[in-house]
């Protein structure tokens, strides 16, 4: 049994946060050294950030110094080539970054003791299930992820995915994606961090939702099937409408997440949606691995660039304004992080999606996510082929399970498919109309799904349902 997760995440200005002062930067010298040869980190950081910086060489020296005194290496930042390129290409000139943006980064970074007064932030749990932060607080955390001052949360692997150093090197598996994430970060610094008006009156909320204790009772209640809409697009994108922003209706978007949520160096749906939204990136600091009955909801984070396509074939472009509400519409963006079963790891000739236990798990996961906004702010859930792709799920089964869960909550479901899935989309729409006409409600639909023949293969479920009628 794994040890319990810590209740708090320690911030760099805490007196307990120590470093090795390799370059003798602490203002009181050896007087501050403890019996283990460690020094309080914050005075050292203040000394480092006081240095004038007006070039990428000076910036790299700052970042290297911070990394070396904390972890004895600058890795995985490597040659910093992609970071240097992002600074050069995201502003009119690199000088704009150092004259305007860098002083603002330093200011917000050193505001941490004012913004987080007790030196730590709660880790999400059943007890501390909601963390509403001001935009200024989140900007501070993002800046420290950029500076690489933050420690590894004990519930994450030591793979560098708690801060942005993994994006700085030219040695990348997917350089197009990483360049896009760095561009999003630079635009965030230039457009949000440097604009005081955009920092005020804005809350970004992170909440961990668990399956309600009366779920069995809820499951037994019969409710009418909600609307199922299937939309085919030429290719996926991350424009405001696709993210449920600015179209006038309350929408939430499903993120096909890993148990350990966060960003990375590739272009999975989760990596893209987090990487283009710097205000989502701090989830890695205070979100423990999701349990089978837990989901993460993020509300109020702005996306900075548009990613068109998927996988190796993405293109990064400019973000457009929301159709309604301007930038303020992003305050209502809602992201539902749901991890699906990793059925690609199942070594079985049968279709693992059809195992009743697996289906029950996915229904409960989706219900937990969809019911997280029962305050009336959300009336529609948008999803792509959740739990498919790298997770190995069958989209025909998965989308029926999500439809059942949305019906149990009483919200509509929109399934978005690209042209590669247009045949599946047509079949799903046909079966959806048929079931809505013939099914009495959620109880009979659940019974039907649990009785699907175990001998069905991938891609046969919808056809079987059509023939059954």
């Amino acid at each position: 049994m794994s040890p319990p997760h810590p209740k708090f995440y320690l911030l760099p200005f805490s007196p307990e946060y120590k470093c090795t002062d390799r370059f003798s930067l602490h203002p009181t010298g050896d007087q501050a050294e403890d019996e283990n040869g460690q020094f309080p980190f914050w005075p050292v950081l203040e000394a480092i950030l006081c240095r004038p910086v007006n070039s990428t060489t000076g910036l790299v020296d700052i970042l290297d110094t911070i990394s070396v005194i904390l972890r004895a290496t600058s890795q995985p930042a490597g040659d910093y080539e992609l970071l240097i390129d992002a600074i050069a290409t995201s502003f009119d000139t690199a000088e704009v970054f150092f004259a305007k943006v860098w002083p603002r980064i330093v200011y917000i970074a050193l505001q941490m003791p004012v913004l987080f007064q007790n030196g730590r932030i709660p880790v999400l749990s059943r007890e501390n299930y909601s963390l509403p932060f001001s935009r200024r607080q989140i900007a501070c955390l993002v800046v420290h992820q950029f500076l690489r001052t933050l420690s590894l949360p004990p519930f994450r692997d030591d793979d560098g995915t708690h801060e942005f150093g993994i994006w700085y090197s030219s040695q990348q598996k997917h350089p197009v994606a990483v360049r896009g994430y760095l561009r999003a970060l630079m635009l965030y610094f230039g457009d949000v961090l440097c604009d005081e008006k955009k920092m005020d009156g804005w809350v970004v909320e992170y909440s961990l939702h668990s399956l309600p204790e009366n779920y069995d009772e809820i499951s037994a209640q019969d409710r009418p099937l909600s609307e199922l809409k299937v939309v085919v697009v030429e290719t996926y994108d991350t424009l405001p409408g696709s993210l449920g922003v600015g179209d006038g209706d309350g929408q939430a978007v499903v993120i096909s997440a890993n148990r350990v949520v966060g960003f990375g160096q590739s272009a999975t749906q989760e990596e893209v949606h987090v990487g283009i939204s710097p205000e989502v990136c701090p989830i890695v600091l205070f979100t423990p691995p999701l349990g089978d009955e837990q989901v993460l909801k993020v509300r109020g984070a702005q996306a900075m660039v548009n990613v068109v396509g998927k996988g190796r074939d993405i293109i990064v472009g400019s973000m457009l304004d929301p159709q309604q509400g301007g930038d303020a519409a992003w305050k209502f963006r809602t992201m539902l992080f749901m991890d699906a079963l990793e059925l690609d790891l199942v070594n079985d000739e049968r279709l693992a999606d059809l195992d009743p236990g697996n289906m029950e798990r996915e229904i409960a996961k989706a219900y937990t996510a969809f019911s997280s906004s029962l305050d009336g702010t959300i009336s529609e859930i948008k999803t792509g082929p959740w739990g498919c792709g790298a997770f190995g799920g069958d989209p025909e089964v998965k989308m029926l399970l999500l439809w059942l869960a949305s019906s149990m909550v009483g919200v509509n479901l929109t399934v978005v498919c690209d042209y590669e899935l247009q045949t599946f989309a047509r079949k799903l729409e046909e079966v959806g109309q048929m079931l809505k006409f013939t099914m009495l409600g959620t109880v009979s639909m659940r019974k039907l799904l649990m009785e699907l023949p175990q001998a069905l293969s991938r891609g046969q479920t919808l056809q079987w349902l059509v023939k059954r009628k």
Side-chain angles (χ1 to χ4, degrees):
M1 184 176 180
S2 58
H5 301 306
K7 293 184 177 181
F8 298 95
Y9 176 75
L10 199 66
L11 294 174
F13 71 90
S14 168
E16 304 167 50
Y17 200 96
K18 300 295 185 71
C19 70
T20 302
D21 189 12
R22 297 172 182 272
F23 307 109
S24 301
L25 297 171
H26 197 286
T28 63
D30 293 346
Q31 298 176 30
E33 187 176 8
D34 66 16
E35 64 275 11
N36 297 314
Q38 299 284 298
F39 292 76
F41 172 67
W42 194 253
V44 176
L45 179 64
E46 289 177 316
I48 294 171
L49 293 182
C50 283
R51 299 177 186 173
V53 175
N54 53 27
S55 68
T56 53
T57 300
L59 174 63
V60 168
D61 182 61
I62 291 280
L63 297 177
D64 256 348
T65 301
I66 292 171
S67 185
V68 168
I69 66 173
L70 284 174
R71 52 189 71 90
T73 177
S74 63
Q75 294 304 318
D79 56 15
Y80 292 89
E81 185 174 310
L82 291 196
L83 175 60
I84 293 170
D85 182 68
I87 292 171
T89 57
S90 299
F91 304 95
D92 291 338
T93 65
E95 287 73 19
V96 171
F97 174 84
F98 293 107
K100 175 185 176 183
V101 178
W102 175 251
R104 187 67 177 168
I105 288 173
V106 171
Y107 172 76
I108 293 294
L110 296 179
Q111 281 284 295
M112 182 173 266
V114 176
L115 297 172
F116 302 91
Q117 295 183 2
N118 62 2
R120 58 186 189 175
I121 51 179
V123 171
L124 288 169
S125 65
R126 280 185 176 270
E127 295 75 28
N128 289 310
Y129 67 90
S130 177
L131 293 176
F133 290 116
S134 70
R135 203 175 204 191
R136 194 179 303 273
Q137 287 176 304
I138 290 305
C140 183
L141 293 178
V142 172
V143 161
H144 279 274
Q145 287 181 298
F146 170 71
L147 295 172
R148 303 185 63 206
T149 61
L150 300 170
S151 64
L152 174 71
F155 45 76
R156 297 188 70 88
D157 291 336
D158 190 6
D159 57 3
T161 55
H162 66 290
E163 38 97 335
F164 300 149
I166 58 170
W167 292 340
Y168 296 168
S169 169
S170 60
Q171 302 301 310
Q172 300 289 339
K173 297 179 294 184
H174 198 325
V176 173
V178 173
R179 288 180 186 275
Y181 307 149
L182 283 171
R183 179 164 180 78
L185 181 64
M186 293 301 117
L187 292 176
Y188 174 75
F189 285 160
D191 295 347
V192 177
L193 193 71
C194 292
D195 190 335
E196 277 290 333
K197 293 180 181 179
K198 292 182 179 180
M199 299 286 282
D200 295 327
W202 192 307
V203 173
V204 185
E205 183 180 12
Y206 312 81
S207 51
L208 185 70
H209 296 265
S210 301
L211 190 70
E213 293 181 358
N214 64 336
Y215 174 72
D216 289 341
E217 179 183 332
I218 294 170
S219 299
Q221 298 173 358
D222 200 20
R223 302 198 59 161
L225 297 180
S226 61
E227 292 297 323
L228 172 64
K229 184 163 70 172
V230 184
V231 176
V232 178
V233 297
E234 182 176 351
T235 186
Y236 299 115
D237 63 52
T238 60
L239 290 172
S242 301
L243 303 182
V245 173
D247 63 359
D249 295 321
Q251 296 180 345
V253 173
V254 171
I255 307 298
S256 193
N258 287 284
R259 282 187 67 242
V260 182
V261 297
F263 50 87
Q265 295 167 279
S266 297
T268 66
Q269 190 220 15
E270 180 183 20
E271 288 173 319
V272 168
H273 282 245
V274 177
I276 67 170
S277 312
E279 291 166 324
V280 183
C281 292
I283 60 175
V284 300
L285 306 176
F286 45 73
T287 309
L290 299 176
D292 281 342
E293 300 178 347
Q294 292 179 320
V295 298
L296 173 71
K297 182 172 77 171
V298 178
R299 185 170 173 84
Q302 183 173 352
M304 304 306 299
V305 297
N306 176 32
V307 175
V308 180
K310 62 184 179 182
R312 305 297 303 181
D313 300 320
I314 63 169
I315 298 172
V316 179
S318 299
M319 178 59 72
L320 302 182
D321 293 331
Q323 290 186 359
Q324 301 178 34
D327 279 352
W330 290 105
K331 294 180 181 181
F332 308 103
R333 178 192 181 191
T334 303
M335 308 167 71
L336 303 175
F337 288 78
M338 299 163 41
D339 61 305
L341 289 169
E342 297 183 37
L343 300 181
D344 57 312
L345 303 177
V346 176
N347 186 16
D348 195 328
E349 293 183 359
R350 296 176 304 171
L351 185 62
D353 295 86
L354 296 176
D355 178 85
N358 289 344
M359 286 197 285
E360 288 288 6
R361 188 269 188 192
E362 304 296 61
I363 296 168
K365 175 72 68 169
Y367 178 86
T368 304
F370 302 164
S371 64
S372 65
S373 296
L374 287 177
D375 55 1
T377 57
I378 299 298
S379 59
E380 179 184 353
I381 304 295
K382 274 190 171 181
T383 184
W386 173 77
C388 306
F391 287 90
D394 181 347
E396 296 194 2
V397 179
K398 281 289 194 289
M399 295 306 102
L400 292 174
L401 299 178
L402 294 194
W403 185 27
L404 172 58
S406 68
S407 300
M408 292 168 62
V409 175
V411 296
N412 298 327
L413 180 70
T414 297
V415 178
V416 182
C417 304
D418 65 4
Y419 273 171
E420 292 181 9
L421 291 174
Q422 58 183 322
T423 301
F424 156 72
R426 177 181 51 77
K427 290 194 295 181
L428 179 62
E429 188 170 37
E430 177 187 351
V431 169
Q433 292 172 352
M434 179 192 75
L435 292 179
K436 193 167 175 60
F437 179 75
T438 59
M439 288 284 125
L440 295 177
T442 54
V443 171
S444 53
M445 183 174 177
R446 175 189 289 271
K447 184 174 184 293
L448 174 65
L449 293 177
M450 294 302 160
E451 293 176 351
L452 286 169
Q454 298 289 299
L456 290 176
S457 298
R458 187 181 185 86
Q460 293 184 342
T461 300
L462 296 178
Q463 182 182 5
W464 183 87
L465 290 171
V466 170
K467 290 181 177 179
R468 179 184 176 277
K469 73 173 183 179

